[in-house]
Amino acid sequence: MADSDGALVWLDSFVWHSAAHSMARRAYPSCMWHTTPSAALGGHAHGGLVGRASVGDRYGRDGVQGTDPAALALVKALDAGDAFTFAGVYTHGGHSYDARGSVAIRAVAEQEAAAVVQFSKLLRAHGVECPVVGVGSTPTCSHPPLSLDGVTEMHPGNYAYYDVMQKDIGACCQEDIAVRVATRVVGHQPVRNTLLVDLGWTGVSQQGAECHYGTFINAPDLRLSKLKQEIGEVTSGNGLPLDYVKWPIGSILFLLPYHACAATHQHQHAWVVGSDGDVVVDRWKICKGW
């Protein structure tokens, strides 16, 4: 949320750490990003909060520029006050989504890491402790800098799940995508060369319409052509007549979603299956709200 002074506030935040697609969660009591000293210090006289400075990037989502003298002044003001403890710096390389392929993504990752590491060195040179130096987006976690010297924390984003969007920009391969949305064939419309499935935008979101909302992993020749609230329309990708014998009523299709974050948020739980892909071994509750 933002206060009247334009400060971006992030409370009760979590950082997900991933190694070989296994995750451990570390929670900070609360985390705050600010853009002006008055916003940072006003209204927080009874502290106990942990604060970080967000270093902006070419994505322009938030943060200060580490090369701007005002950024140093901001952090020094935070560090000198009693409102909270300065914990470090962080950036999100959102402009990595404009890159295509591992080489271009890694170049963004290098820029991302250099920005926060250089700013952390500047802070330490002015007597400000900077224990945490965080970087990360899904693409730059997938193709990180050749050196992470000076970086203490990587924010992996959607690295554990992946999706068709990440595949399309070159952050991963289709085999890396770990999430599927299951849907059932509920109707045949031969006149329209269409299958009806019980998957509308309420089950997968409306993101990725230009990419058919994702890819059917067990039916790559099919396309999700249109979404209504509760029903989706599926047709052939090559325009040829559908084989309705192959896809009778009750058949299950598995969609690799275009954007896994948006698709997952549509559901209450994620069902975790074993390595064989058939046996459910766990159920994860999905966090709701904002």
Side-chain angles (χ1 to χ4, degrees):
M1 59 183 176
D3 67 13
S4 59
D5 226 350
L8 181 65
V9 181
W10 178 22
L11 296 176
D12 297 321
S13 56
F14 292 93
V15 178
W16 291 87
H17 295 264
S18 177
H21 286 214
S22 64
M23 298 181 294
R25 184 171 69 175
R26 184 173 69 190
Y28 292 91
S30 52
C31 214
M32 309 187 71
W33 299 341
H34 290 287
T35 54
T36 63
S38 60
L41 299 178
H44 300 296
H46 305 288
L49 299 178
V50 178
R52 287 202 232 179
S54 174
V55 180
D57 58 24
R58 296 178 187 177
Y59 187 46
R61 183 169 75 175
D62 50 59
V64 297
Q65 296 300 315
T67 55
D68 185 349
L72 175 61
L74 167 62
V75 175
K76 292 178 72 173
L78 291 171
D79 189 55
D82 297 326
F84 49 83
T85 302
F86 181 70
V89 295
Y90 163 79
T91 192
H92 168 72
H95 57 301
S96 60
Y97 284 81
D98 296 328
R100 293 295 180 269
S102 59
V103 174
I105 292 172
R106 180 164 282 116
V108 175
E110 298 280 359
Q111 298 165 3
E112 179 187 51
V116 287
V117 170
Q118 290 172 9
F119 189 44
S120 69
K121 290 180 178 179
L122 177 65
L123 294 176
R124 295 185 187 112
H126 284 80
V128 178
E129 293 186 12
C130 189
V132 177
V133 179
V135 299
S137 66
T138 304
T140 57
C141 178
S142 305
H143 300 294
L146 297 179
S147 172
L148 284 170
D149 289 347
V151 173
T152 67
E153 184 177 85
M154 173 70 82
H155 296 243
N158 194 21
Y159 176 77
Y161 251 15
Y162 282 136
D163 51 33
V164 171
M165 174 172 54
Q166 297 296 334
K167 174 187 74 70
D168 287 350
I169 68 174
C172 70
C173 300
Q174 181 164 300
E175 293 74 17
D176 297 321
I177 302 175
V179 62
R180 290 107 168 88
V181 180
T183 184
R184 182 179 289 105
V185 176
V186 296
H188 290 169
Q189 293 188 342
V191 174
R192 301 177 59 229
N193 197 37
T194 297
L195 297 171
L196 299 181
V197 295
D198 61 352
L199 177 67
W201 56 260
T202 51
V204 72
S205 89
Q206 296 203 56
Q207 293 198 11
E210 68 283 2
C211 298
H212 308 288
Y213 309 99
T215 300
F216 288 115
I217 192 168
N218 61 329
D221 55 326
L222 300 183
R223 299 288 184 270
L224 190 53
S225 59
K226 187 175 182 180
L227 291 180
K228 299 176 181 177
Q229 182 167 320
E230 305 290 349
I231 295 293
E233 297 182 5
V234 176
T235 189
S236 60
N238 54 16
L240 295 176
L242 289 170
D243 183 353
Y244 290 99
V245 174
K246 184 178 180 181
W247 303 109
I249 304 297
S251 301
I252 303 296
L253 297 173
F254 294 97
L255 183 76
L256 304 178
Y258 177 77
H259 187 187
C261 302
T264 300
H265 193 68
Q266 303 298 105
H267 298 267
Q268 298 295 326
H269 298 91
W271 298 92
V272 184
V273 298
S275 58
D276 60 2
D278 292 324
V279 179
V280 174
V281 297
D282 203 354
R283 185 180 75 163
W284 294 345
K285 184 178 179 180
I286 295 169
C287 296
K288 308 299 287 187
W290 179 248

